[in-house]
Amino acid sequence: LEAVSQALDINIATAFRMRHKLMYSLEEEAVTTVIAEQAELDEKYVLKSHKGTKLEHVPGKKRGTRASKRGISNEQVCLLTGVQRGGGSYLRSFNMGRPSADEVMNLLPHIEERTYIWTDACASYNKLIKKLGSDSKVVSGKKDYDKVNHLNNVNNFHSMVERWYRDMGGVASKYINRYAALFNLRYQIGKMDPSEALLLVRSRLR
């Protein structure tokens, strides 16, 4: 924000508003995202954050603070993720903690029917897979991995999300889906030639 503020000769509050207007537009566009053909589904969890907002009776957290509960809990934001092999991605939060089958059904408009799907052992995806009429494969651990059956693409995407999230020092949970839309765009651009990426960004900004 400081770099943008200096480059455009505006104050930081204005730079913040401009950033969120752009990310909001990306979030609106994500409504039409569809992945197809072959897709890997999984979840990414990030600790709930009220960064930038002081809440009465809620102590501030320093970077790196762990959740008070062990394992996956309602202290963690769940980012449902679909990555198309050789294509784009869809990342969005619909719930806290582990997703139910009904919460996973929010992915339905974003996956083409009969897309072949790989998941881990989470049974919450079964209802979605049945509704899509898709063939699927469960790969619950490295012992199940081979050249075809794996979750390497979605795991790689999650590693990038974790790195971007850490570099930002976390983001406020109320804005998580705006950043999720930005992460989807960064993932798509990362696999492109720089000149192609520039054309895509310019068209999206217009």
Side-chain angles (χ1 to χ4, degrees):
L1 287 176
E2 289 179 356
V4 171
S5 171
Q6 293 172 9
L8 300 182
D9 193 25
I10 57 177
N11 66 45
I12 287 181
T14 301
F16 178 85
R17 288 194 296 272
M18 290 170 65
R19 170 198 279 184
H20 279 272
K21 283 181 180 180
L22 286 170
M23 289 197 299
Y24 179 75
S25 71
L26 293 178
E27 183 183 358
E28 289 286 287
E29 284 185 9
V31 172
T32 61
T33 298
V34 177
I35 57 178
E37 298 177 1
Q38 299 177 331
E40 301 171 18
L41 307 182
D42 202 1
E43 318 91 57
K44 176 65 181 173
Y45 296 93
V46 296
L47 193 61
K48 184 178 180 180
S49 171
H50 56 267
K51 181 179 180 180
T53 304
K54 290 185 178 181
L55 301 178
E56 193 174 351
H57 307 306
V58 178
K61 291 183 178 179
K62 294 182 179 180
R63 187 179 299 187
T65 301
R66 300 187 178 210
S68 61
K69 300 176 183 177
R70 297 183 64 180
I72 305 302
S73 71
N74 59 5
E75 292 184 28
Q76 292 169 305
V77 179
C78 173
L79 289 161
L80 288 175
T81 314
V83 174
Q84 179 176 330
R85 291 188 176 180
S89 60
Y90 182 75
L91 179 76
R92 188 174 177 85
S93 174
F94 298 98
N95 65 284
M96 304 292 292
R98 294 194 184 278
S100 67
D102 288 338
E103 287 162 342
V104 167
M105 287 299 290
N106 285 296
L107 294 176
L108 184 63
H110 305 285
I111 304 176
E112 193 173 279
E113 288 186 356
R114 303 193 181 283
T115 296
Y116 194 97
I117 292 173
W118 288 267
T119 68
D120 59 12
C122 180
S124 296
Y125 292 102
N126 294 343
K127 181 178 178 180
L128 171 68
I129 291 169
K130 183 177 180 181
K131 184 69 174 178
L132 289 168
S134 297
D135 291 326
S136 64
K137 177 74 174 179
V138 172
V139 281
S140 58
K142 293 296 182 182
K143 60 181 174 56
D144 299 321
Y145 277 39
D146 57 35
K147 290 183 178 179
V148 174
N149 301 301
H150 56 77
L151 296 173
N152 293 340
N153 295 282
V154 71
N155 288 338
N156 180 56
F157 182 38
H158 284 168
S159 293
M160 289 189 285
V161 169
E162 188 173 333
R163 183 173 68 250
W164 296 331
Y165 191 85
R166 184 176 60 247
D167 289 346
M168 293 176 180
V171 302
S173 296
K174 63 183 178 180
Y175 297 133
I176 193 66
N177 285 327
R178 295 184 185 181
Y179 284 94
L182 177 63
F183 294 160
N184 281 322
L185 181 61
R186 289 185 68 171
Y187 178 71
Q188 185 179 0
I189 287 172
K191 296 185 290 183
M192 290 181 170
D193 177 85
S195 58
E196 290 179 322
L198 182 59
L199 288 174
L200 175 65
V201 170
R202 283 178 171 171
S203 67
R204 295 288 289 273
L205 289 176
R206 279 198 292 272

